[in-house]
Each structure stands twice: as C-alpha cells, then as structure tokens.
Amino acid sequence: MEKKKITISIIIPCFNQGNYLPEAIDSALAQTIRTHEIITVIDGSTDNSLEIARNYENKGVKIINQVNKGLSSARNTGIMNATGDYILPLDADDVLLENCAEKILKVAEKTGADVIAPSFKTFGTTSQEVILSPQIHLKDFIGANRLGYFSAIKKSVLLEVGGYNPKMIYGYEDWDCWIDIFKRNKTLAVIPEVLVLYRTKESSMLVEADKHRDELIAQMRKNHPDVYNEQNTYNRK
C-alpha cells in the first residue's frame, strides 16, 4: 500500500501589517515544494491588508476575513479551516526561507514528530542566529519560551489542546501552547538550520507582551497548575 503523503498548511494571520504582508505571502508561495495550502486570516485590519491579500487569491491563497479577535483567535480560525496534516504558522511580518517547508516535510516523513521546530535568524532591529538545542523538554519551558511560534504542529495535536488560548491577550500564546502540548508527552524534532527570518521591531506584539510578562506568566500558571506545581515540587527536592 502506498504511504500517505504528508501535507502542510501555512497559516498567516494579519492585523494591520499590510506593509509587510506581501513579503510573508511571497515567501510562502516561493517554497521549493508546493505546500498543501496557504491561508491568510485578516483579523479585522483597518489598513489595506485585506485588499493586498485578495491580490493573491488568483495564486491559490485562501483568504478569511473576520472581526478583530486577536492573534490566538486568528490562528485558531486558520487551524479550523486548514486541511493539511501539519500547521505551519507564519506571522505577516516574518519570512520563510524557500526550503523551509521542504526541510520540515522531510523531517516529518522521517520522524513523524508532533512538533517540528526550525532554527531561525532575526532581522530588523537585531541580527542574530538562533540554533535550537536538540534536546528540549517540558521543564525547560517553565522559565522561558524555547521554540519559535513558526514550528510546524500536527493539526490533530492542535485540535487536542484546543488551539491557542485566547486568554493570552497580550502574547506568549505560543509559549502557553508549547506547555499544553508537551505536558501531553507529544514528540519534538528540532532542525538545527536557519529556515525562518524573524523580524524584530521597536514596536511589536512581542515588545508589548514583554511589558505584561508577569501578568502573562500568571495566566500560564492558571492555565497549567499541574505543570507549575510539579516543577515547584521538583525544585524543592
């Protein structure tokens, strides 16, 4: 029997990032392999994001326009409408290198991992290569986020955890999601090669999230008391 082909859906949420959106979509379209689908979710943008996105419909990009609900909801909308085996999130101001999907697909075929995390490089206000550690465990997420949001995740796993938590209002929604995923003993494969360009800016959602770090970590403790309580017990030994 022929082995089922693994498919990848790229999901690009966008809120008022029309000036960056073409670069993100173009990078998804320029992949060395044809991905299963590209879905752009316009999250109540008041700029020209929707108009820009619609220029790509003739290239097969699916467009979903919704009222503004936040990043978690926009990603969840994309997940619910995606039909690929893996979800590859891409923010509207970031860029995939052209071999990103191909490399992820090869690792997926080889390992069947629930999460496949590529290494990345920052650009914009900083320029730094981040090569991920080959060994990352649940306990490593207690103090810091260890993976880029642009890691590919099995759609079945995202459905199991209920997607991204909308209570993470200011950000860290990916960090919270990693805890939810790995506390269920899901598997991770790391790619020690830069495959994504992550844009850093003076004003961004991550900058805003860092301003609310204590509040967001408190929310994660509420979301995952089992994980944080277990870690506290471990630290006291």
Side-chain angles (χ1 to χ4, degrees), residues 10 56 75 78 83 94 145 182 184 186 188 201 237:
I10 298 176
Y56 287 90
R75 287 210 187 120
T83 55
D94 294 332
N145 191 356
F182 294 119
R184 299 165 193 259
K186 302 302 181 182
L188 168 68
K201 298 179 287 187
K237 290 180 179 179

Side-chain angles (χ1 to χ4, degrees), residues 20-72:
Y20 299 119
L21 183 58
E23 196 173 1
I25 297 178
D26 286 340
S27 76
L29 288 168
Q31 292 300 296
T32 50
I33 61 166
R34 184 178 177 84
T35 54
H36 181 62
E37 61 192 347
I38 301 168
I39 301 174
T40 299
V41 182
I42 306 298
D43 188 43
S45 292
T46 56
D47 65 358
N48 61 344
S49 297
L50 180 59
E51 179 184 351
I52 289 171
R54 283 179 171 159
N55 290 332
Y56 287 90
E57 285 185 298
N58 62 355
K59 295 184 179 181
V61 177
K62 299 177 183 179
I63 311 300
I64 300 173
N65 187 31
Q66 66 177 31
V67 298
N68 180 246
K69 297 179 182 179
L71 180 56
S72 289

